[in-house]
Short mmCIF file of all heavy atoms in Angstrom, two decimals:
data_model
loop_
_atom_site.label_atom_id
_atom_site.label_comp_id
_atom_site.label_asym_id
_atom_site.label_seq_id
_atom_site.Cartn_x
_atom_site.Cartn_y
_atom_site.Cartn_z
N MET E 11 143.36 -21.04 -76.29
CA MET E 11 142.37 -21.61 -77.21
C MET E 11 141.11 -21.95 -76.41
O MET E 11 141.18 -22.55 -75.35
CB MET E 11 142.95 -22.86 -77.86
CG MET E 11 141.98 -23.55 -78.79
SD MET E 11 142.77 -24.87 -79.71
CE MET E 11 143.38 -25.88 -78.37
N THR E 12 139.98 -21.58 -76.93
CA THR E 12 138.72 -21.88 -76.29
C THR E 12 138.00 -22.97 -77.08
O THR E 12 137.97 -22.94 -78.30
CB THR E 12 137.82 -20.63 -76.21
OG1 THR E 12 138.52 -19.62 -75.50
CG2 THR E 12 136.52 -20.92 -75.49
N GLY E 13 137.46 -23.95 -76.37
CA GLY E 13 136.77 -25.03 -77.06
C GLY E 13 136.10 -25.95 -76.07
O GLY E 13 135.88 -25.59 -74.91
N THR E 14 135.78 -27.14 -76.55
CA THR E 14 135.12 -28.13 -75.71
C THR E 14 136.15 -29.07 -75.11
O THR E 14 137.01 -29.59 -75.82
CB THR E 14 134.11 -28.94 -76.55
OG1 THR E 14 133.18 -28.04 -77.14
CG2 THR E 14 133.36 -29.94 -75.69
N CYS E 15 136.06 -29.30 -73.82
CA CYS E 15 136.99 -30.20 -73.15
C CYS E 15 136.70 -31.64 -73.56
O CYS E 15 135.54 -32.09 -73.51
CB CYS E 15 136.85 -30.04 -71.64
SG CYS E 15 137.85 -31.22 -70.71
N GLY E 16 137.75 -32.38 -73.94
CA GLY E 16 137.58 -33.76 -74.37
C GLY E 16 137.37 -34.72 -73.22
O GLY E 16 137.05 -35.89 -73.43
N SER E 17 137.55 -34.27 -72.00
CA SER E 17 137.41 -35.15 -70.85
C SER E 17 136.05 -34.98 -70.19
O SER E 17 135.33 -35.94 -69.98
CB SER E 17 138.52 -34.88 -69.86
OG SER E 17 138.43 -35.74 -68.76
N CYS E 18 135.69 -33.75 -69.84
CA CYS E 18 134.42 -33.53 -69.13
C CYS E 18 133.34 -32.99 -70.05
O CYS E 18 132.17 -32.98 -69.68
CB CYS E 18 134.63 -32.58 -67.94
SG CYS E 18 135.05 -30.90 -68.41
N GLY E 19 133.72 -32.52 -71.25
CA GLY E 19 132.72 -32.10 -72.23
C GLY E 19 132.20 -30.68 -72.05
O GLY E 19 131.28 -30.27 -72.75
N ARG E 20 132.79 -29.92 -71.12
CA ARG E 20 132.36 -28.54 -70.93
C ARG E 20 132.69 -27.69 -72.15
O ARG E 20 133.78 -27.81 -72.70
CB ARG E 20 133.03 -27.95 -69.70
CG ARG E 20 132.13 -27.90 -68.49
CD ARG E 20 132.76 -27.04 -67.43
NE ARG E 20 133.86 -27.77 -66.81
CZ ARG E 20 133.91 -28.05 -65.51
NH1 ARG E 20 132.98 -27.63 -64.71
NH2 ARG E 20 134.91 -28.73 -65.00
N ASP E 21 131.78 -26.81 -72.50
CA ASP E 21 132.00 -25.89 -73.62
C ASP E 21 132.64 -24.60 -73.14
O ASP E 21 132.59 -24.27 -71.96
CB ASP E 21 130.66 -25.54 -74.28
CG ASP E 21 130.15 -26.70 -75.12
OD1 ASP E 21 130.98 -27.38 -75.73
OD2 ASP E 21 128.93 -26.90 -75.15
N ASP E 22 133.21 -23.86 -74.10
CA ASP E 22 133.76 -22.53 -73.83
C ASP E 22 134.80 -22.55 -72.73
O ASP E 22 134.85 -21.66 -71.88
CB ASP E 22 132.65 -21.53 -73.49
CG ASP E 22 131.74 -21.29 -74.68
OD1 ASP E 22 132.25 -21.31 -75.81
OD2 ASP E 22 130.53 -21.10 -74.48
N GLU E 23 135.61 -23.59 -72.70
CA GLU E 23 136.68 -23.67 -71.73
C GLU E 23 138.00 -23.29 -72.41
O GLU E 23 138.16 -23.44 -73.61
CB GLU E 23 136.80 -25.09 -71.16
CG GLU E 23 135.65 -25.49 -70.25
CD GLU E 23 135.71 -24.75 -68.92
OE1 GLU E 23 136.81 -24.37 -68.50
OE2 GLU E 23 134.63 -24.56 -68.33
N ASP E 24 138.95 -22.83 -71.60
CA ASP E 24 140.30 -22.58 -72.08
C ASP E 24 141.01 -23.94 -72.12
O ASP E 24 141.42 -24.45 -71.10
CB ASP E 24 141.00 -21.61 -71.14
CG ASP E 24 142.41 -21.29 -71.61
OD1 ASP E 24 142.69 -21.47 -72.81
OD2 ASP E 24 143.22 -20.85 -70.78
N VAL E 25 141.07 -24.53 -73.29
CA VAL E 25 141.58 -25.90 -73.40
C VAL E 25 143.00 -25.93 -73.97
O VAL E 25 143.40 -25.04 -74.71
CB VAL E 25 140.65 -26.78 -74.27
CG1 VAL E 25 139.35 -27.05 -73.55
CG2 VAL E 25 140.42 -26.15 -75.62
N VAL E 26 143.73 -26.96 -73.57
CA VAL E 26 145.12 -27.16 -73.99
C VAL E 26 145.24 -28.60 -74.50
O VAL E 26 144.60 -29.52 -73.97
CB VAL E 26 146.07 -26.92 -72.80
CG1 VAL E 26 147.48 -27.38 -73.12
CG2 VAL E 26 146.08 -25.45 -72.42
N LEU E 27 146.06 -28.79 -75.54
CA LEU E 27 146.28 -30.11 -76.09
C LEU E 27 147.12 -30.94 -75.12
O LEU E 27 148.21 -30.52 -74.72
CB LEU E 27 146.98 -30.00 -77.44
CG LEU E 27 147.04 -31.27 -78.30
CD1 LEU E 27 145.63 -31.69 -78.74
CD2 LEU E 27 147.92 -31.04 -79.51
N VAL E 28 146.62 -32.10 -74.75
CA VAL E 28 147.33 -32.99 -73.83
C VAL E 28 147.28 -34.42 -74.36
O VAL E 28 146.49 -34.75 -75.24
CB VAL E 28 146.69 -32.97 -72.41
CG1 VAL E 28 146.66 -31.56 -71.84
CG2 VAL E 28 145.30 -33.57 -72.42
N ARG E 29 148.14 -35.25 -73.81
CA ARG E 29 148.04 -36.68 -74.05
C ARG E 29 147.64 -37.34 -72.74
O ARG E 29 148.31 -37.19 -71.73
CB ARG E 29 149.38 -37.26 -74.52
CG ARG E 29 149.31 -38.76 -74.82
CD ARG E 29 150.64 -39.31 -75.27
NE ARG E 29 151.14 -38.64 -76.47
CZ ARG E 29 150.69 -38.90 -77.71
NH1 ARG E 29 149.78 -39.80 -77.90
NH2 ARG E 29 151.17 -38.23 -78.74
N ARG E 30 146.54 -38.05 -72.76
CA ARG E 30 146.06 -38.71 -71.55
C ARG E 30 147.03 -39.82 -71.13
O ARG E 30 147.55 -40.54 -71.96
CB ARG E 30 144.68 -39.31 -71.82
CG ARG E 30 144.05 -39.99 -70.63
CD ARG E 30 142.82 -40.74 -71.03
NE ARG E 30 141.72 -39.86 -71.39
CZ ARG E 30 140.79 -39.45 -70.52
NH1 ARG E 30 140.82 -39.85 -69.28
NH2 ARG E 30 139.82 -38.64 -70.91
N LEU E 31 147.27 -39.93 -69.83
CA LEU E 31 148.13 -40.98 -69.30
C LEU E 31 147.31 -41.90 -68.40
O LEU E 31 146.51 -41.43 -67.59
CB LEU E 31 149.28 -40.37 -68.49
CG LEU E 31 150.25 -39.47 -69.26
CD1 LEU E 31 151.30 -38.91 -68.30
CD2 LEU E 31 150.91 -40.20 -70.41
N TYR E 32 147.50 -43.20 -68.59
CA TYR E 32 146.83 -44.18 -67.75
C TYR E 32 147.86 -44.71 -66.75
O TYR E 32 148.77 -45.44 -67.13
CB TYR E 32 146.27 -45.32 -68.60
CG TYR E 32 145.22 -44.86 -69.57
CD1 TYR E 32 145.55 -44.52 -70.88
CD2 TYR E 32 143.89 -44.76 -69.17
CE1 TYR E 32 144.58 -44.09 -71.77
CE2 TYR E 32 142.92 -44.33 -70.05
CZ TYR E 32 143.27 -43.99 -71.35
OH TYR E 32 142.32 -43.57 -72.22
N VAL E 33 147.71 -44.30 -65.51
CA VAL E 33 148.69 -44.65 -64.50
C VAL E 33 148.19 -45.85 -63.70
O VAL E 33 147.10 -45.82 -63.14
CB VAL E 33 148.93 -43.46 -63.55
CG1 VAL E 33 149.92 -43.84 -62.46
CG2 VAL E 33 149.44 -42.25 -64.34
N THR E 34 149.01 -46.91 -63.67
CA THR E 34 148.70 -48.08 -62.84
C THR E 34 149.64 -48.05 -61.64
O THR E 34 150.85 -48.12 -61.79
CB THR E 34 148.94 -49.38 -63.64
OG1 THR E 34 148.16 -49.34 -64.83
CG2 THR E 34 148.53 -50.60 -62.82
N PRO E 35 149.08 -47.93 -60.43
CA PRO E 35 149.94 -47.88 -59.25
C PRO E 35 150.67 -49.19 -59.03
O PRO E 35 150.17 -50.26 -59.40
CB PRO E 35 148.96 -47.61 -58.10
CG PRO E 35 147.66 -47.27 -58.72
CD PRO E 35 147.65 -47.85 -60.10
N GLU E 36 151.81 -49.09 -58.40
CA GLU E 36 152.58 -50.28 -58.08
C GLU E 36 151.81 -51.15 -57.08
O GLU E 36 151.16 -50.64 -56.18
CB GLU E 36 153.90 -49.82 -57.45
CG GLU E 36 154.94 -50.89 -57.33
CD GLU E 36 156.25 -50.32 -56.82
OE1 GLU E 36 156.34 -49.09 -56.66
OE2 GLU E 36 157.17 -51.11 -56.57
N ALA E 37 151.88 -52.46 -57.25
CA ALA E 37 151.24 -53.39 -56.32
C ALA E 37 152.26 -54.43 -55.90
O ALA E 37 153.36 -54.47 -56.43
CB ALA E 37 150.02 -54.05 -56.96
N TRP E 38 151.86 -55.29 -54.96
CA TRP E 38 152.85 -56.25 -54.43
C TRP E 38 153.37 -57.19 -55.51
O TRP E 38 154.48 -57.68 -55.42
CB TRP E 38 152.26 -57.03 -53.26
CG TRP E 38 151.15 -57.97 -53.65
CD1 TRP E 38 149.83 -57.66 -53.73
CD2 TRP E 38 151.27 -59.34 -54.03
NE1 TRP E 38 149.12 -58.76 -54.14
CE2 TRP E 38 149.98 -59.81 -54.33
CE3 TRP E 38 152.36 -60.23 -54.14
CZ2 TRP E 38 149.75 -61.12 -54.74
CZ3 TRP E 38 152.12 -61.53 -54.55
CH2 TRP E 38 150.82 -61.97 -54.84
N ASP E 39 152.57 -57.49 -56.52
CA ASP E 39 152.98 -58.46 -57.53
C ASP E 39 153.23 -57.84 -58.90
O ASP E 39 153.62 -58.53 -59.83
CB ASP E 39 151.93 -59.56 -57.66
CG ASP E 39 150.58 -59.02 -58.07
OD1 ASP E 39 150.37 -57.79 -57.96
OD2 ASP E 39 149.72 -59.80 -58.49
N THR E 40 152.99 -56.55 -59.05
CA THR E 40 153.21 -55.92 -60.35
C THR E 40 153.85 -54.55 -60.17
O THR E 40 153.48 -53.81 -59.25
CB THR E 40 151.88 -55.72 -61.10
OG1 THR E 40 150.96 -55.06 -60.23
CG2 THR E 40 151.30 -57.03 -61.59
N PRO E 41 154.80 -54.22 -61.01
CA PRO E 41 155.38 -52.87 -60.95
C PRO E 41 154.38 -51.85 -61.50
O PRO E 41 153.50 -52.20 -62.31
CB PRO E 41 156.60 -52.98 -61.86
CG PRO E 41 156.29 -54.11 -62.79
CD PRO E 41 155.37 -55.05 -62.06
N GLY E 42 154.50 -50.63 -61.04
CA GLY E 42 153.65 -49.59 -61.57
C GLY E 42 154.02 -49.29 -63.01
O GLY E 42 155.13 -49.57 -63.47
N LYS E 43 153.06 -48.74 -63.75
CA LYS E 43 153.35 -48.39 -65.14
C LYS E 43 152.49 -47.22 -65.58
O LYS E 43 151.45 -46.94 -64.98
CB LYS E 43 153.15 -49.58 -66.08
CG LYS E 43 151.72 -50.07 -66.14
CD LYS E 43 151.58 -51.20 -67.14
CE LYS E 43 150.15 -51.73 -67.16
NZ LYS E 43 149.95 -52.79 -68.14
N VAL E 44 152.95 -46.57 -66.63
CA VAL E 44 152.20 -45.45 -67.20
C VAL E 44 152.04 -45.73 -68.69
O VAL E 44 153.01 -45.93 -69.41
CB VAL E 44 152.94 -44.12 -67.01
CG1 VAL E 44 152.17 -42.99 -67.68
CG2 VAL E 44 153.13 -43.82 -65.53
N GLU E 45 150.78 -45.78 -69.14
CA GLU E 45 150.51 -45.98 -70.56
C GLU E 45 149.98 -44.68 -71.16
O GLU E 45 149.22 -43.96 -70.53
CB GLU E 45 149.47 -47.09 -70.74
CG GLU E 45 150.02 -48.47 -70.45
CD GLU E 45 148.95 -49.53 -70.64
OE1 GLU E 45 148.17 -49.74 -69.71
OE2 GLU E 45 148.89 -50.11 -71.73
N GLN E 46 150.40 -44.43 -72.39
CA GLN E 46 149.97 -43.21 -73.05
C GLN E 46 148.66 -43.43 -73.79
O GLN E 46 148.48 -44.45 -74.46
CB GLN E 46 151.03 -42.75 -74.03
CG GLN E 46 152.32 -42.33 -73.34
CD GLN E 46 153.27 -41.62 -74.27
OE1 GLN E 46 153.23 -41.85 -75.47
NE2 GLN E 46 154.11 -40.79 -73.72
N GLY E 47 147.75 -42.48 -73.65
CA GLY E 47 146.47 -42.56 -74.34
C GLY E 47 146.44 -41.63 -75.54
O GLY E 47 147.48 -41.32 -76.13
N ASP E 48 145.24 -41.18 -75.86
CA ASP E 48 145.07 -40.34 -77.05
C ASP E 48 145.35 -38.88 -76.74
O ASP E 48 145.31 -38.44 -75.60
CB ASP E 48 143.63 -40.45 -77.55
CG ASP E 48 143.33 -41.84 -78.07
OD1 ASP E 48 144.26 -42.50 -78.57
OD2 ASP E 48 142.17 -42.25 -77.97
N GLU E 49 145.58 -38.12 -77.80
CA GLU E 49 145.66 -36.68 -77.67
C GLU E 49 144.24 -36.13 -77.55
O GLU E 49 143.36 -36.50 -78.29
CB GLU E 49 146.33 -36.06 -78.90
CG GLU E 49 147.81 -36.34 -78.96
CD GLU E 49 148.45 -35.72 -80.19
OE1 GLU E 49 147.83 -34.83 -80.80
OE2 GLU E 49 149.56 -36.14 -80.55
N GLU E 50 144.06 -35.24 -76.57
CA GLU E 50 142.75 -34.63 -76.35
C GLU E 50 142.96 -33.18 -75.95
O GLU E 50 144.07 -32.78 -75.63
CB GLU E 50 142.01 -35.36 -75.22
CG GLU E 50 141.73 -36.82 -75.50
CD GLU E 50 141.00 -37.50 -74.33
OE1 GLU E 50 140.49 -36.79 -73.47
OE2 GLU E 50 140.97 -38.73 -74.32
N ARG E 51 141.88 -32.43 -75.96
CA ARG E 51 141.93 -31.05 -75.46
C ARG E 51 141.20 -31.01 -74.13
O ARG E 51 140.04 -31.39 -74.06
CB ARG E 51 141.29 -30.10 -76.48
CG ARG E 51 142.15 -29.92 -77.72
CD ARG E 51 141.53 -28.99 -78.72
NE ARG E 51 142.48 -28.65 -79.78
CZ ARG E 51 142.74 -29.43 -80.84
NH1 ARG E 51 142.08 -30.54 -81.00
NH2 ARG E 51 143.63 -29.05 -81.74
N TRP E 52 141.91 -30.54 -73.11
CA TRP E 52 141.37 -30.57 -71.75
C TRP E 52 141.29 -29.17 -71.16
O TRP E 52 142.18 -28.35 -71.37
CB TRP E 52 142.27 -31.40 -70.85
CG TRP E 52 142.11 -32.89 -71.02
CD1 TRP E 52 141.43 -33.55 -72.00
CD2 TRP E 52 142.65 -33.89 -70.16
NE1 TRP E 52 141.52 -34.89 -71.81
CE2 TRP E 52 142.28 -35.13 -70.69
CE3 TRP E 52 143.43 -33.84 -69.02
CZ2 TRP E 52 142.65 -36.32 -70.09
CZ3 TRP E 52 143.80 -35.03 -68.43
CH2 TRP E 52 143.40 -36.26 -68.96
N CYS E 53 140.27 -28.97 -70.33
CA CYS E 53 140.13 -27.72 -69.61
C CYS E 53 141.04 -27.72 -68.38
O CYS E 53 141.63 -28.73 -68.01
CB CYS E 53 138.67 -27.50 -69.19
SG CYS E 53 138.10 -28.63 -67.90
N PHE E 54 141.10 -26.57 -67.71
CA PHE E 54 141.98 -26.42 -66.56
C PHE E 54 141.64 -27.41 -65.44
O PHE E 54 142.52 -28.01 -64.83
CB PHE E 54 141.89 -24.98 -66.04
CG PHE E 54 142.70 -24.74 -64.79
CD1 PHE E 54 144.07 -24.56 -64.86
CD2 PHE E 54 142.08 -24.72 -63.55
CE1 PHE E 54 144.81 -24.37 -63.71
CE2 PHE E 54 142.82 -24.52 -62.40
CZ PHE E 54 144.20 -24.35 -62.49
N VAL E 55 140.36 -27.58 -65.17
CA VAL E 55 139.94 -28.46 -64.07
C VAL E 55 140.41 -29.88 -64.31
O VAL E 55 140.97 -30.53 -63.42
CB VAL E 55 138.41 -28.41 -63.89
CG1 VAL E 55 137.96 -29.44 -62.86
CG2 VAL E 55 137.97 -27.02 -63.48
N CYS E 56 140.22 -30.39 -65.53
CA CYS E 56 140.65 -31.75 -65.82
C CYS E 56 142.17 -31.87 -65.77
O CYS E 56 142.70 -32.91 -65.38
CB CYS E 56 140.12 -32.18 -67.18
SG CYS E 56 138.33 -32.40 -67.18
N ARG E 57 142.87 -30.80 -66.15
CA ARG E 57 144.34 -30.84 -66.11
C ARG E 57 144.85 -30.88 -64.68
O ARG E 57 145.94 -31.36 -64.42
CB ARG E 57 144.95 -29.65 -66.85
CG ARG E 57 144.62 -29.65 -68.35
CD ARG E 57 145.58 -28.79 -69.15
NE ARG E 57 145.71 -27.43 -68.68
CZ ARG E 57 144.89 -26.43 -69.01
NH1 ARG E 57 143.86 -26.62 -69.79
NH2 ARG E 57 145.12 -25.22 -68.55
N THR E 58 144.06 -30.39 -63.73
CA THR E 58 144.49 -30.46 -62.34
C THR E 58 144.09 -31.79 -61.70
O THR E 58 144.66 -32.17 -60.68
CB THR E 58 143.88 -29.31 -61.50
OG1 THR E 58 142.48 -29.42 -61.51
CG2 THR E 58 144.31 -27.96 -62.04
N HIS E 59 143.12 -32.51 -62.28
CA HIS E 59 142.60 -33.72 -61.64
C HIS E 59 143.16 -35.01 -62.21
O HIS E 59 143.21 -36.01 -61.50
CB HIS E 59 141.07 -33.76 -61.77
CG HIS E 59 140.36 -32.89 -60.78
ND1 HIS E 59 140.32 -31.53 -60.89
CD2 HIS E 59 139.70 -33.20 -59.65
CE1 HIS E 59 139.63 -31.05 -59.86
NE2 HIS E 59 139.24 -32.04 -59.10
N TYR E 60 143.52 -35.03 -63.48
CA TYR E 60 143.87 -36.30 -64.12
C TYR E 60 145.29 -36.28 -64.66
O TYR E 60 145.76 -35.24 -65.12
CB TYR E 60 142.88 -36.59 -65.25
CG TYR E 60 141.45 -36.59 -64.79
CD1 TYR E 60 140.59 -35.56 -65.17
CD2 TYR E 60 140.97 -37.60 -63.97
CE1 TYR E 60 139.28 -35.54 -64.74
CE2 TYR E 60 139.67 -37.58 -63.53
CZ TYR E 60 138.82 -36.55 -63.91
OH TYR E 60 137.53 -36.54 -63.47
N PRO E 61 145.95 -37.44 -64.62
CA PRO E 61 147.32 -37.51 -65.15
C PRO E 61 147.36 -37.30 -66.65
O PRO E 61 146.52 -37.85 -67.39
CB PRO E 61 147.79 -38.92 -64.76
CG PRO E 61 146.55 -39.70 -64.49
CD PRO E 61 145.50 -38.72 -64.07
N HIS E 62 148.33 -36.52 -67.10
CA HIS E 62 148.43 -36.22 -68.52
C HIS E 62 149.81 -35.64 -68.82
O HIS E 62 150.54 -35.26 -67.90
CB HIS E 62 147.37 -35.20 -68.95
CG HIS E 62 147.58 -33.85 -68.31
ND1 HIS E 62 147.24 -33.59 -67.01
CD2 HIS E 62 148.15 -32.72 -68.79
CE1 HIS E 62 147.57 -32.35 -66.73
NE2 HIS E 62 148.13 -31.79 -67.78
N GLU E 63 150.10 -35.58 -70.10
CA GLU E 63 151.33 -34.92 -70.55
C GLU E 63 150.89 -33.74 -71.39
O GLU E 63 150.11 -33.91 -72.34
CB GLU E 63 152.14 -35.91 -71.39
CG GLU E 63 153.35 -35.32 -72.07
CD GLU E 63 153.98 -36.31 -73.03
OE1 GLU E 63 153.61 -37.49 -72.98
OE2 GLU E 63 154.82 -35.90 -73.84
N GLU E 64 151.33 -32.55 -71.01
CA GLU E 64 150.90 -31.37 -71.74
C GLU E 64 151.66 -31.23 -73.04
O GLU E 64 152.89 -31.29 -73.07
CB GLU E 64 151.10 -30.12 -70.86
CG GLU E 64 150.13 -29.02 -71.22
CD GLU E 64 149.95 -28.02 -70.07
OE1 GLU E 64 149.52 -28.43 -68.97
OE2 GLU E 64 150.23 -26.86 -70.28
N LEU E 65 150.94 -31.06 -74.13
CA LEU E 65 151.57 -30.96 -75.44
C LEU E 65 151.61 -29.52 -75.92
O LEU E 65 152.17 -29.21 -76.96
CB LEU E 65 150.82 -31.81 -76.46
CG LEU E 65 150.71 -33.30 -76.11
CD1 LEU E 65 149.84 -34.03 -77.12
CD2 LEU E 65 152.09 -33.94 -76.05
N GLY E 66 150.98 -28.62 -75.18
CA GLY E 66 151.03 -27.20 -75.53
C GLY E 66 149.86 -26.76 -76.38
O GLY E 66 148.97 -27.54 -76.71
N GLN E 67 149.85 -25.50 -76.69
CA GLN E 67 148.79 -24.94 -77.53
C GLN E 67 148.94 -25.46 -78.94
O GLN E 67 150.02 -25.44 -79.49
CB GLN E 67 148.88 -23.41 -77.54
CG GLN E 67 148.82 -22.76 -76.18
CD GLN E 67 147.42 -22.66 -75.62
OE1 GLN E 67 146.46 -22.94 -76.33
NE2 GLN E 67 147.30 -22.29 -74.36
N ALA E 68 147.87 -25.96 -79.52
CA ALA E 68 147.96 -26.48 -80.88
C ALA E 68 146.60 -26.39 -81.54
O ALA E 68 145.60 -26.60 -80.90
CB ALA E 68 148.46 -27.91 -80.91
ZN1 ZN Q 106 137.39 -30.76 -68.55
#
């Protein structure tokens, strides 16, 4: 699917439906955690740079 990336805003990218993940690293006083964000369409570059869960072509 070609479209606009929901993360970086580039046009004409090969985008895939993903769910953004907000990763909090573990610290001395708090355990690490992963929170789920919104469904977005991301290009390949953003999928390699940012944590996410791939939902597939949609
Ligand atoms: Zn992007």
Side-chain angles (χ1 to χ4, degrees):
M11 178 172 58
T12 302
T14 303
C15 174
S17 182
C18 67
R20 258 192 285 239
D21 285 324
D22 294 326
E23 289 289 333
D24 181 21
V25 289
V26 169
L27 192 66
V28 303
R29 181 181 302 282
R30 182 189 290 267
L31 298 178
Y32 297 94
V33 178
T34 304
E36 193 175 355
W38 68 272
D39 60 345
T40 51
K43 64 177 178 178
V44 177
E45 287 180 277
Q46 295 192 333
D48 294 330
E49 288 180 17
E50 298 179 15
R51 289 180 170 82
W52 282 11
C53 70
F54 176 78
V55 173
C56 291
R57 296 200 306 275
T58 62
H59 281 75
Y60 304 109
H62 65 282
E63 173 188 349
E64 207 158 301
L65 302 175
Q67 303 281 351

